Amino acid sequence: MAELRDQLQATLGDGYTLEQELGGGGMSRVFVAQESALGRKVVVKVLPPEMAAAVSLDRFRREIQLAAQLQHPHIVPLLTAGDTNGLPYFTMPFVRGESLRSRLLKGGELPVSETVRILREVASAIAYAHENNIVHRDIKPENVLISGGSAVVTDFGVAKALSASSEAAPDTLTSMGVALGTPAYMSPEQATADPNTDHRADIYALGVMAYEMLTGSTPFTGRSPQATLAAHVTEVPDAITRRRSTIPPVLASLVMSCLEKRPADRPQTAHEVMHRLDALSTPSGGLARTVQATAVKPAKEGKRTRRIAVFTAVAVAAAIAAFGLTEYRKRDSVSTAKAETPVIAVLPFENLGRPEGREFTDGMTEEITSRLSSLRGLKVIGRQTSKSYAGTTKTPQQIASELGVNYVLTGTVRWDRTGDGKDIVRVSPALVRTADATQVWAKPFETILSGIFEVQSKVATEVANALDVALLQPEKDALAARPTESVEAYSHYLRGTELLRTSLQVPDIRTAIAALEKAVALDPQFALAHSQLSIGHTGLFWFESDRTAERLRKARASADRALSLQPSLATAHLALAIYYYQGLLDFESALKELSIAQQARPNDFEILFYKAAIERRQGKWRESIANMNRAIEIEPRIGSYISDFADTHYTLREYDQAERLADRALIVTPREPDALGLKSEIAIARDGDVPRALQFVRQRFAAEAGARGGLGSAAADPFNAGWPALADQKIRDALLSAQWRPELDERSSFLVNRMMLFYVIQDMPRARAYADSALGPLASKVRERSDDARYYSRLGRVQAILGRRQEALAAADKAISLRPVSKDAYGGPDFVANRAVILMMLGDTDRAISEMQSLLEIPSPVSRNAIRLNPLFAALRSHPRFNDLVRGP
């Protein structure tokens, strides 16, 4: 057997060094190897001769390459494929941890909460693979690894590669065992070699695995392989509650439905399994009490631009357990049904008319949600969450189970045109009580297009009356308010507002501003549009597309105009708060405006989140976390905000909490970039695992294809400056060849990023060339924005690269004086980190280490592992104080 190892090592050459052979690989031989280029461990699996004889090597390699495109945090990716003397092999990252099989062997059945978490993560991986037309075909505990508290699935695509490359009959390969299915977990259609076997076989196997996790054994345990296969086809498994009576009914029903003999009787997709697992976090699911939720107004709280920041685009989805979705939610305790506040979800109305009516139909749903959410006696599920039920076929009871609501409001909108060219709108809303699916209220409305605002008002008012919600006069006035007299202006408003709510990208913000400017030009009295226009202008400033006094002037003028038209308008006060916060860093003034807005909209998600963001900068960490919790309760499905919440825990070095939230963000917003960035940072900060960090970096890059290269935000991230992305040659090439795009960021920011990248790879001639190019634009920015610490921070690094010690330190000190930690506990540490890097560049090692020490003593993104591993600090590794620092107390 040793000759296979020698043969494999000869095939791998210098690229890999085989270290040890692992057991438990089924019929394959499994080795751990060290990859020379990246200094990481990988697993090499070699197929046995009898299986290799049945496959085409070229086809097998091609299929493995296709499967390697799967990039998901809960999938162990395939890396490469080849053959050694005719025996196919493939490689994958080495995952530290244990298999689910080991976990089951140690303790038998698992706690329900742990089972739900693992199933949710595995279902997420399966769902992603199925979307990419890859069926696993061998889901079982041996192929689920538990690493860092999370489940990851291995060997995705291997079965497909074997079957697709087979030169033998499919049943021949199946009889060889583990590669094409394991008898204990094989679906009836697999057991009978049904050629129509599809993705639902994985759902059956997931059900078998769930059964085993909850009871300690599979449904047909203790039988021969042939008898087990026959049982899958002909026998009904014992009800899982007979083996463990404490399993929640919803979970038991899900497991047994996955084990249905007919694929059509099972959940049809892994996404459906995920949704049903999510229902376990509601009272009827048996794992959590009712989640009370209210209205959402998505915001764009600016991320601190200190990320590993290799990209601005997004990447593959991740998953987290059902408990993770509710872990941070508070539970309302209601003593009697009479005292309970009604909770309602306004589901997206269905457009039954012309396709161009879709925009107004969506606007109808949004406006009714907004009007209802202003009522103190009612709680309304957030827009993003409700939008996910567009076109749903779920029953009211299912929706209630998933959302914890008492009522759902549904409706249809039909747009017709009369003979004389008038647009007629027919709206048919219906209020349904979820407990018994009883229609509580329904009333059709018909109006001309310009009358849609009255319809919105009437629907909201009559729903409130049907729910016995007592209305105060200000609330009646708010329900009856008519936002504009111009239907065309309203159309532009809807387009602009939707972009601001759903995107943080600068081009989208600019498009939104253009639409909102058209709205206010058509109706200068349109206060809501002026408010959103102010938010858009502040966004361009905050995200560094246009950090000019003129842009801030426009933001303030739009907010003031809105308030002059409607002094009590909550959105106008919110816009002014955002202006004070993101435009002037005037936290106290921002909080005063938020307080006014909150009086009008006491349960507004966005107001709560901005308040939390400001409290974080004031160093009120626990208050900030409490308000972020409340905000996420109200709107649990906006990934960018969940990522921002995760970043709060990351800054406090509460890495486990941060990772759970990052995973949750990737559930609700697949390809959420900040969540993947945090996963990468956590892998380094907590675990010192650079290969795993690089895995998440690659996922972001694969989705973005390096279009921007992350050069827009890395300038404010002196401790990372492109690391660890530069360890990947493809990403490195993209980073170093990226071109400036004026629609994304300022040129001076781009130039400083380029300078730092070349500094990190020790290409000093080009680093100095970019420093020379950046010096003029930065000096101009400093003159124009003498109160902006960001420009002084970057100028300090430029001067350091050019060897101008006095000027570099003066700029670094100026940045800190403008944004000291005492005044900005969240953003201030970035400028201390900047000074540490500048001191290191200038050769002042002792002072640089002292600055690093101070950062480790306060909440900051700096960690000992990052300092220890980052090549930026390689020159310090021979210094005794540095080594003492990274070892810790």
Side-chain angles (χ1 to χ4, degrees):
M1 300 297 282
E3 67 184 54
L4 174 60
R5 179 190 178 107
D6 295 339
Q7 175 183 305
L8 179 60
Q9 182 63 77
T11 300
L12 296 173
D14 295 335
Y16 299 88
T17 301
L18 296 180
E19 294 183 345
Q20 66 185 92
E21 184 169 1
L22 298 178
M27 296 189 69
S28 59
R29 297 279 298 277
V30 183
F31 299 90
V32 177
Q34 183 80 7
E35 186 178 7
S36 304
L38 296 177
R40 63 176 176 179
K41 292 185 185 298
V42 299
V43 169
V44 185
K45 289 193 175 185
V46 185
L47 299 187
E50 61 271 26
M51 192 174 291
V55 301
S56 161
L57 295 178
D58 288 341
R59 182 68 184 275
F60 178 81
R61 186 182 294 109
R62 288 196 298 271
E63 291 294 335
I64 288 291
Q65 288 170 349
L66 289 174
Q69 296 177 17
L70 291 181
Q71 297 291 321
H72 187 285
H74 291 287
I75 292 177
V76 180
L78 298 174
L79 299 177
T80 59
D83 71 279
T84 176
N85 281 13
L87 298 181
Y89 71 84
F90 55 93
T91 68
M92 61 182 66
F94 176 75
V95 177
R96 292 180 176 85
E98 63 178 344
S99 69
L100 178 57
R101 170 61 63 212
S102 297
R103 182 74 59 87
L104 291 170
L105 289 173
K106 288 178 184 177
E109 61 189 36
L110 299 182
V112 170
S113 59
E114 184 178 2
T115 300
V116 170
R117 176 179 60 78
I118 292 172
L119 288 176
R120 184 61 169 73
E121 293 173 343
V122 173
S124 172
I126 293 172
Y128 173 76
H130 290 176
E131 288 173 355
N132 288 273
N133 301 313
I134 292 181
V135 181
H136 193 291
R137 303 198 215 186
D138 196 22
I139 294 293
K140 59 184 178 181
E142 287 81 354
N143 284 335
V144 176
L145 307 178
I146 310 299
S147 177
S150 296
V152 290
V153 185
T154 188
D155 283 7
F156 257 111
V158 175
K160 182 175 186 294
L162 284 167
S163 61
S165 61
S166 172
E167 297 173 344
D171 57 345
T172 303
L173 277 177
T174 302
S175 69
M176 293 179 181
V178 294
L180 295 186
T182 302
Y185 304 90
M186 288 175 69
S187 66
E189 59 269 29
Q190 280 180 290
T192 57
D194 186 339
N196 296 315
T197 297
D198 59 19
H199 66 281
R200 291 170 292 184
D202 282 350
I203 293 173
Y204 185 92
L206 185 65
V208 176
M209 192 173 77
Y211 196 103
E212 182 177 11
M213 293 163 70
L214 290 165
T215 68
S217 62
T218 57
F220 309 115
T221 189
R223 310 188 189 197
S224 68
Q226 293 79 9
T228 300
L229 293 175
H232 282 305
V233 177
T234 62
E235 295 184 29
V236 176
D238 287 342
I240 193 169
T241 50
R242 289 186 59 188
R243 299 197 185 183
R244 185 174 174 183
S245 61
T246 57
I247 297 171
V250 174
L251 180 58
S253 173
L254 172 60
V255 174
M256 297 308 293
S257 68
C258 289
L259 295 176
E260 290 288 348
K261 303 298 181 190
R262 295 175 179 271
D265 292 335
R266 299 171 204 151
Q268 295 300 287
T269 67
H271 279 297
E272 183 180 343
V273 175
M274 292 163 62
H275 291 317
R276 291 176 67 176
L277 286 167
D278 291 343
L280 287 163
S281 57
T282 66
S284 58
L287 293 184
R289 294 160 64 185
T290 303
V291 177
Q292 304 286 10
T294 49
V296 170
K297 187 172 185 305
K300 294 170 300 305
E301 206 285 347
K303 299 287 186 275
R304 169 174 46 192
T305 53
R306 61 156 189 78
R307 286 273 163 255
I308 285 179
V310 194
F311 331 97
T312 58
V314 291
V316 296
I320 192 174
F323 265 10
L325 287 174
T326 55
E327 179 179 358
Y328 292 93
R329 297 179 181 178
K330 296 178 180 177
R331 276 73 169 174
D332 290 334
S333 178
V334 181
S335 57
T336 66
K338 182 177 179 180
E340 185 175 350
T341 300
V343 186
I344 184 172
V346 182
L347 304 187
F349 282 24
E350 183 181 1
N351 180 45
L352 298 180
R354 305 188 308 273
E356 57 267 31
R358 176 76 261 171
E359 178 183 89
F360 281 95
T361 300
D362 291 342
M364 176 75 68
T365 309
E366 290 277 324
E367 188 60 30
I368 292 171
T369 302
S370 179
R371 290 174 190 251
L372 289 174
S373 64
S374 68
L375 304 180
R376 296 172 186 273
L378 188 64
K379 294 191 176 181
V380 185
I381 290 295
R383 293 183 183 91
Q384 288 295 104
T385 299
S386 293
K387 282 171 66 176
S388 67
Y389 288 88
T392 185
T393 59
K394 293 183 178 181
T395 65
Q397 289 91 341
Q398 288 175 311
I399 296 171
S401 174
E402 295 176 8
L403 298 181
V405 299
N406 313 116
Y407 301 90
V408 293
L409 181 66
T410 64
T412 60
V413 180
R414 184 179 296 278
W415 305 82
D416 293 316
R417 185 162 288 167
T418 63
D420 58 1
K422 290 183 179 179
D423 285 313
I424 299 295
V425 184
R426 296 181 177 89
V427 183
S428 301
L431 180 66
V432 178
R433 184 168 55 234
T434 58
D436 53 9
T438 298
Q439 185 170 287
V440 176
W441 168 86
K443 183 177 180 180
F445 297 88
E446 182 173 310
T447 182
I448 59 174
L449 185 58
S450 61
I452 60 172
F453 305 120
E454 284 79 7
V455 172
Q456 293 166 353
S457 173
K458 289 177 180 178
V459 171
T461 300
E462 296 202 25
V463 166
N465 291 334
L467 295 176
D468 293 325
V469 176
L471 299 178
L472 302 176
Q473 190 58 48
E475 293 175 322
K476 293 179 180 179
D477 294 341
L479 289 178
R482 184 182 178 92
T484 178
E485 297 299 322
S486 169
V487 172
E488 186 180 357
Y490 187 64
S491 176
H492 290 300
Y493 164 79
L494 289 175
R495 292 170 196 162
T497 301
E498 179 67 12
L499 280 172
L500 290 181
R501 285 173 174 163
T502 58
S503 176
L504 302 178
Q505 301 301 312
V506 166
D508 289 333
I509 296 174
R510 289 189 177 277
T511 302
I513 288 173
L516 291 164
E517 286 177 336
K518 290 178 182 177
V520 298
L522 288 164
D523 180 3
Q525 310 302 309
F526 196 170
L528 272 174
H530 283 291
S531 301
Q532 293 293 341
L533 183 56
S534 173
I535 293 171
H537 285 309
T538 304
L540 283 187
F541 180 88
W542 184 247
F543 293 112
E544 297 199 46
S545 176
D546 183 6
R547 287 185 70 82
T548 62
E550 176 61 16
R551 184 61 63 181
L552 280 185
R553 186 199 64 75
K554 290 181 178 180
R556 179 60 191 259
S558 294
D560 287 345
R561 176 60 174 158
L563 286 169
S564 70
L565 293 167
Q566 287 184 240
S568 61
L569 183 63
T571 307
H573 285 284
L574 174 62
L576 189 55
I578 294 171
Y579 163 81
Y580 279 128
Y581 168 39
Q582 295 184 341
L584 304 182
L585 297 177
D586 183 347
F587 303 147
E588 291 301 330
S589 295
L591 287 173
K592 288 178 182 177
E593 293 299 323
L594 289 174
S595 178
I596 297 170
Q598 196 167 27
Q599 290 176 17
R601 301 184 69 86
N603 296 300
D604 189 286
F605 154 78
E606 194 171 23
I607 294 169
L608 280 169
F609 212 96
Y610 273 108
K611 183 178 180 182
I614 293 171
E615 289 169 335
R616 180 171 62 184
R617 292 186 182 270
Q618 293 176 320
K620 300 175 182 177
W621 296 99
R622 294 306 156 190
E623 294 92 331
S624 175
I625 286 173
N627 276 317
M628 286 186 176
N629 262 325
R630 290 179 61 201
I632 299 304
E633 288 174 26
I634 294 169
E635 178 50 90
R637 297 196 180 186
I638 303 181
S640 60
Y641 292 95
I642 301 172
S643 294
D644 205 9
F645 189 7
D647 193 45
T648 302
H649 285 291
Y650 179 83
T651 305
L652 292 171
R653 301 188 180 88
E654 296 171 349
Y655 298 129
D656 291 346
Q657 297 95 315
E659 185 170 46
R660 283 194 288 270
L661 281 167
D663 284 337
R664 176 179 167 185
L666 287 161
I667 293 172
V668 302
T669 308
R671 301 172 176 260
E672 211 296 298
D674 289 311
L676 287 164
L678 271 170
K679 294 276 285 184
S680 180
E681 293 182 35
I682 292 165
I684 291 171
R686 183 187 62 194
D687 307 321
D689 191 341
V690 177
R692 188 162 185 265
L694 191 56
Q695 175 185 338
F696 291 113
V697 168
R698 288 194 181 104
Q699 290 170 10
R700 295 183 73 182
F701 184 81
E704 164 83 339
R708 182 184 180 189
L711 296 175
S713 58
D717 189 11
F719 262 49
N720 290 321
W723 179 76
L726 290 168
D728 183 284
Q729 189 61 51
K730 180 179 180 181
I731 301 175
R732 178 188 178 112
D733 291 345
L735 287 172
L736 297 178
S737 62
Q739 301 296 312
W740 176 53
R741 291 169 57 184
E743 73 275 15
L744 293 178
D745 52 16
E746 293 179 341
R747 185 167 179 268
S748 63
S749 172
F750 176 87
L751 294 172
V752 172
N753 274 279
R754 301 284 288 171
M755 176 193 78
M756 290 302 299
L757 288 171
F758 285 114
Y759 176 81
V760 170
I761 66 173
Q762 299 182 351
D763 186 341
M764 292 307 297
R766 283 206 276 184
R768 282 190 286 269
Y770 276 103
D772 279 329
S773 298
L775 187 59
L778 272 176
S780 176
K781 286 293 180 184
V782 165
R783 287 192 297 271
E784 180 185 343
R785 298 285 306 171
S786 60
D787 59 344
D788 196 325
R790 302 188 205 195
Y791 294 125
Y792 284 103
S793 177
R794 296 167 191 169
L795 181 61
R797 271 178 280 156
V798 166
Q799 299 284 24
I801 291 286
L802 296 175
R804 300 171 181 174
R805 178 184 181 84
Q806 184 175 351
E807 293 88 342
L809 291 176
D813 291 343
K814 179 66 173 178
I816 291 175
S817 71
L818 289 169
R819 295 276 292 280
V821 174
S822 61
K823 292 184 179 180
D824 187 351
Y826 181 65
D830 292 337
F831 301 103
V832 179
N834 179 72
R835 184 163 63 184
V837 171
I838 288 171
L839 287 165
M840 184 196 67
M841 289 175 170
L842 297 172
D844 197 337
T845 302
D846 278 320
R847 288 182 63 194
I849 293 172
S850 294
E851 295 283 18
M852 294 178 193
Q853 178 67 52
S854 71
L855 289 167
L856 291 171
E857 294 171 353
I858 62 173
S860 82
V862 178
S863 67
R864 284 184 168 83
N865 277 336
I867 295 172
R868 175 175 61 87
L869 296 168
N870 194 330
L872 181 67
F873 305 108
L876 303 180
R877 290 173 185 160
S878 60
H879 196 289
R881 279 191 65 207
F882 181 81
N883 291 318
D884 290 342
L885 178 69
V886 298
R887 278 195 297 268

